[in-house]
Amino acid sequence: MNYKKITWLCLIVAMIMAMTACAKGPSDSESASSAKNDKDITIAVNQNFTTLDPQNVSDTLSISATHAMYEGLVGFDKNMTIKPVLATDYKVSKDGLVYTFNLRKNVKFHDGATFDANAVKANFDRIQGSKGSLTASHYLKNLKDIKVIDDNTVQFTLTKPFSAMLNKFAMIPMISPKAIKKYGKNIGLHPVGTGPFEFVKWNQGESLILKKNPDYWDSNYPKVNKVTFKSVPENGSRVAMLKTGEADFVYPLPEQNVKSLKSSSDISIDQTESTIVRYVSINTNKKPFNNKKVRLAMNYALNKDTYIKVVKNGFGSKLDSTMSPKTQFYSKQGVYEYNLDKAKKLMKEAGYPNGFSAEIWGDTASDTMKGMQFVQQQLAKIGIKLKVKAMEQGTLSNEIYSPKTPDQAKVQLWYVSWSPSSGDADGATRSLFSSESFPPNGANTAYYKNNEVDSLIKKANKSTDPDEQAKIYKQIQKDIYSDAPWIFLGVDTILSGHRNNLKGVYVLPDGSINIKNAQLK
């Protein structure tokens, strides 16, 4: 027998069998099973993140990302109710001036630094030391003193009562003191918090990648290993990603796709009543928008019913005040109902019978473009010729908030939305309508100034009586609504979509995404 030949034949057979096994690969069902058991999820959103500095965020999407990596002394549950987070409990003095927090023990930042009362003080020192340059500094105007009682107890004293203070504490996440010293002003590119997820990489304009914090203080979380946020402004692309499974969660889900997606056995759609108001901010400091009759004409010229039907595909309601019915101390004011004759009459009385030309700004998201084009078409009926100008989110934010004085602001009209992420009436009022909140100090991009409103806002914040606050905010809403510093459009119904094997990711009423409870089944 020729052993060499037999050995060679055996080798050839073995190689053929190995090649056949490799070529076969896993079946489609096996691949699907493998994907479902994966511990990584992808979330497709419609905008880009502007910053990852948790104490300097102003847009809701960036708040979503920072809240995954950072935590505050208190936070919000699914219904925007205050709950302890890094504090185990808290106490407020009867006069509303002293807030005492007992801190959670054995908590570490992602870089190993210890969370304690000194770390809390370092964060508030950072905010106050910014001299108003950080967004969070606007929450602390009444803060007089921070006192470290012991390692696990910290006390805040205010100069005067501030009814929304507890909600504001929920908007101030804690950064590692070590990271504050190391990165300084660049902390927005190097996030280091105590949250369930740690920072991996931010591809600006494209994606944000987070990973599981293996040392998270709550051992029950997180339940996924990696979360990737992808910026996908085009509506159709986000929907396609959801259908194919490239994205596990999509927000916002385009209204026009709800009906078709409901028939899918792999996808679920969630609806949430929101605190998100949709409007056009009117720069009242510029001609002709400093004329109240022009602003009223614009409101009457825009058909709110058609807006909800065409732009929002029926999902939403008409905005009948300065805030959503889901916001604290909301008071209904009525609606500027569509009345073209009245709008034309007001334009004539204002001295613009033939209208004028202007620009409307917005981001590049599909739904924003659709909204701006609708406003453009509607206002053309009273002679207002609008040029639609869409900008990438970071560029737009810089154009809006960088002017140092009202006269330097170039914006005329801004198609935008606002939600008080702090969950209180102050968050829906002071930042938007106080004359102290002109950019860059706040979001009063209408440059609206009303001395009576300014006075009432301060009065509401000093009050510790909810009934008195309700009365004051009712008057505030009445005064602002009648001055029409916005084109009041609608209140969003939040729509999000997710693959059925993903659980625990949801959108809060303010429009921020919570991923702490994410898990794949």
Side-chain angles (χ1 to χ4, degrees), residues 276-282 284 292 294-308 312 317-324 330-338 360 374-375 378-379 413-418 428-429 432-433 446 448 476-492:
I276 305 171
V277 295
R278 191 77 51 173
Y279 58 97
V280 176
S281 178
I282 306 170
T284 61
K292 181 178 175 179
V294 169
R295 302 195 301 270
L296 289 171
M298 294 166 75
N299 271 283
Y300 285 117
L302 205 141
N303 192 320
K304 315 302 188 302
D305 289 308
T306 306
Y307 171 79
I308 299 297
K312 310 303 290 182
S317 58
K318 291 182 284 188
L319 179 57
D320 56 12
S321 187
T322 62
M323 60 181 73
S324 157
Y330 155 83
S331 176
K332 183 176 181 178
Q333 301 302 311
V335 174
Y336 287 107
E337 297 290 0
Y338 181 59
I360 184 169
F374 179 84
V375 173
Q378 293 280 291
L379 295 187
L413 304 171
W414 182 22
Y415 179 87
V416 67
S417 63
W418 180 269
T429 306
L432 297 170
F433 302 110
Y448 174 73
I476 289 173
Q477 290 167 76
K478 181 180 178 181
D479 290 348
I480 297 171
Y481 204 77
S482 64
D483 282 339
W486 294 352
I487 301 177
F488 298 89
L489 297 175
V491 179
D492 285 6

Side-chain angles (χ1 to χ4, degrees), residues 494-512:
I494 290 174
L495 295 171
S496 59
H498 63 88
R499 303 288 297 182
N500 284 338
N501 64 324
L502 174 67
K503 307 296 180 185
V505 179
Y506 59 86
V507 184
L508 280 76
D510 72 328
S512 61

Side-chain angles (χ1 to χ4, degrees), residues 217-291:
W217 56 265
D218 187 341
S219 59
N220 294 314
Y221 302 97
K223 297 179 180 179
V224 294
N225 290 337
K226 186 172 78 170
V227 179
T228 301
F229 287 92
K230 287 192 175 181
S231 300
V232 188
E234 206 281 310
N235 282 345
S237 298
R238 288 199 309 281
V239 172
M241 290 173 69
L242 183 63
K243 286 180 176 178
T244 61
E246 184 182 350
D248 301 282
F249 188 92
V250 166
Y251 173 70
L253 185 72
E255 293 89 352
Q256 63 268 26
N257 294 103
V258 170
K259 187 175 180 180
S260 62
L261 289 174
K262 276 186 175 180
S263 61
S264 172
S265 59
D266 298 320
I267 295 170
S268 292
I269 298 170
D270 294 316
Q271 295 186 36
T272 305
E273 291 184 45
S274 84
T275 57
I276 305 171
V277 295
R278 191 77 51 173
Y279 58 97
V280 176
S281 178
I282 306 170
N283 188 339
T284 61
N285 188 56
K286 287 187 178 294
K287 289 184 178 181
F289 308 114
N290 60 345
N291 190 317

Side-chain angles (χ1 to χ4, degrees), residues 459-470:
K459 186 177 179 181
N461 284 328
K462 287 180 182 178
S463 174
T464 56
D465 180 0
D467 291 334
E468 182 186 16
Q469 291 175 54

Side-chain angles (χ1 to χ4, degrees), residues 280 282 288-289 291 293-302 340 343-344 346-348 350 352-360 372-388 412-413 487:
V280 176
I282 306 170
F289 308 114
N291 190 317
K293 289 184 177 181
V294 169
R295 302 195 301 270
L296 289 171
M298 294 166 75
N299 271 283
Y300 285 117
L302 205 141
L340 202 54
K344 289 179 178 178
L346 285 164
M347 287 290 285
K348 186 176 181 180
Y352 300 94
N354 300 316
F356 51 83
S357 297
E359 279 188 347
I360 184 169
M372 288 195 291
Q373 289 163 0
F374 179 84
V375 173
Q376 179 188 48
Q377 293 163 4
Q378 293 280 291
L379 295 187
K381 296 177 183 178
I382 56 173
I384 299 178
K385 296 172 281 293
L386 289 186
K387 178 184 177 182
V388 172
Q412 295 176 306
L413 304 171
I487 301 177

